[in-house]
Amino acid sequence: MDTILGPLYYAVSWIIVQFHSFYSLVFDRDSGAAWGLSIVSLVVLIRVCLIPLFVKQIKSTRNMQALQPKMKAIQERYKSDKQRQSEEMMKLYKETGTNPLSSCLPILAQSPFFISLYQVLSHIAQNKTVGVIDQSLLASAQKAHIFGAPLAAKFMDSAAKIQSLGASLTDVRVVTIIMIVLMSASQFYTQRQLMTKNVDLTVKTPFMQQQKMLMYVFPVMFAVFGINFPVGVLVYWLTTNVWTMGQQMFVIRRNPTPGSKAFTERQERLRAKGKLVESPAEIEAKKAAEEARQNRQQPKRQTKAKRQAGTGAPTGGAQNRTRAGSASGGTAARSSKASAQDSEGTGETPGKGGSGSRSTKSGQRKGQQRPKHPSKK
């Protein structure tokens, strides 16, 4: 490891020493402020250099969110053919210009510097020179304490080792626990901010479930591994978490994902300032929707007795209609009967004339009749 990352040890130690020389003009050369601010400045320098990769990470994350429905369709279509599924996925990535590894580029690019800083601080704790840190700088770094905890001390170090660095076990453990809690909390808030504000909640995808799981997994990982980190590394990682949180807040506010909560809030801010000009069609559509919502009347709630009365017996209107129908039916029947009697008296069927018509009441033929047969007399 030392052979592979040897050049990075020199690079990291050289950057820290340069910042330490600058801060020594203001603070004591052996103080924790001079060495702690040197580590913070190292983080800021690295993260500024990683801004282009961060922009690629944002674009890749958004592209991955947009491609989730298509990816899910490919997985369902080629469920039994994993090779064809991989080919279609790579084809989709190529067509859309998406790189799945772009979301991990900042972490991957930062990892060698993190490991190098860890090794530099470990060498300081073991009283070994590393990189450009000579014996005089080594002695100065060992005297540096942050809130009573040496830069090279760990939570799991023994009391004898911590005493050799000029500190107490209680101070080291209190400082490391506080820093680990802050480190885990900042990581959780950063991930939660991404999930609640900068994700299109109208589309439910497996990517959202993965991000939600990472929101709880990462803080636990930091808490577990943090007890084995030197105080200087905890300063490094806490600083980079705070930088990531602030950087993400800026991006979410200025350039949120379309369809997310942050995007709606940004549209409202621009609309309030008069910087968002909507088309007349959108304005008319919103007005029509608002008017329809206001004019819409909800049906009055009825009691159980009224509902049963409405289903079991006819209401007042229905009863009136029934009575009116019965009255009209009776009038029609009486009219038919009267017309039938008139027809019987005149020998005509209603609507028809002629002597050969039958009476509606008796059914016998009226008018001229044939003589009976002689045999029937």
Side-chain angles (χ1 to χ4, degrees), residues 134-208:
D134 54 14
Q135 195 64 40
S136 62
L137 290 171
L138 180 63
S140 175
Q142 286 184 337
K143 295 176 183 177
H145 291 67
I146 296 178
F147 301 110
L151 289 176
K154 304 176 187 177
F155 180 86
M156 300 300 293
D157 285 344
S158 62
K161 185 176 182 180
I162 292 176
Q163 286 179 359
S164 66
L165 296 173
S168 65
L169 182 63
T170 303
D171 292 341
V172 171
R173 293 193 171 179
V174 169
V175 171
T176 52
I177 287 175
I178 292 174
M179 297 185 73
I180 289 172
V181 170
L182 292 176
M183 187 174 61
S184 300
S186 60
Q187 178 66 36
F188 176 80
Y189 181 79
T190 301
Q191 193 67 23
R192 188 176 184 276
Q193 182 180 230
L194 178 65
M195 287 296 301
T196 57
K197 289 190 174 183
N198 204 37
V199 174
D200 187 0
L201 299 177
T202 59
V203 181
K204 302 296 183 181
T205 60
F207 179 78
M208 293 177 59

Side-chain angles (χ1 to χ4, degrees), residues 317-358:
Q319 291 176 356
N320 292 335
R321 288 194 298 271
T322 305
R323 292 169 183 171
S326 302
S328 61
T331 305
R334 287 194 295 271
S335 300
S336 300
K337 186 176 180 180
S339 61
Q341 290 175 356
D342 293 342
S343 300
E344 184 179 359
T346 57
E348 295 180 356
T349 306
K352 290 184 181 181
S355 60
S357 61
R358 292 180 179 270

Side-chain angles (χ1 to χ4, degrees), residues 243-319:
W243 175 280
T244 303
M245 182 173 61
Q247 186 173 247
Q248 184 172 272
M249 290 175 65
F250 176 81
V251 172
I252 290 176
R253 183 175 177 84
R254 299 295 297 272
N255 191 18
T257 301
S260 64
K261 181 180 178 181
F263 182 81
T264 304
E265 293 176 353
R266 181 175 180 271
Q267 295 295 96
E268 293 295 334
R269 289 196 303 268
L270 294 176
R271 191 178 293 109
K273 294 179 181 179
K275 296 182 180 180
L276 183 63
V277 180
E278 297 177 339
S279 63
E282 293 180 354
I283 296 175
E284 291 297 330
K286 287 184 177 181
K287 287 183 178 179
E290 184 65 21
E291 290 177 358
R293 186 184 65 82
Q294 292 179 356
N295 295 331
R296 185 177 56 193
Q297 295 181 355
Q298 296 292 339
K300 294 182 178 180
R301 187 173 182 180
Q302 296 181 347
T303 61
K304 185 176 180 181
K306 289 183 178 180
R307 290 196 300 270
Q308 291 178 350
T311 56
T315 58
Q319 291 176 356

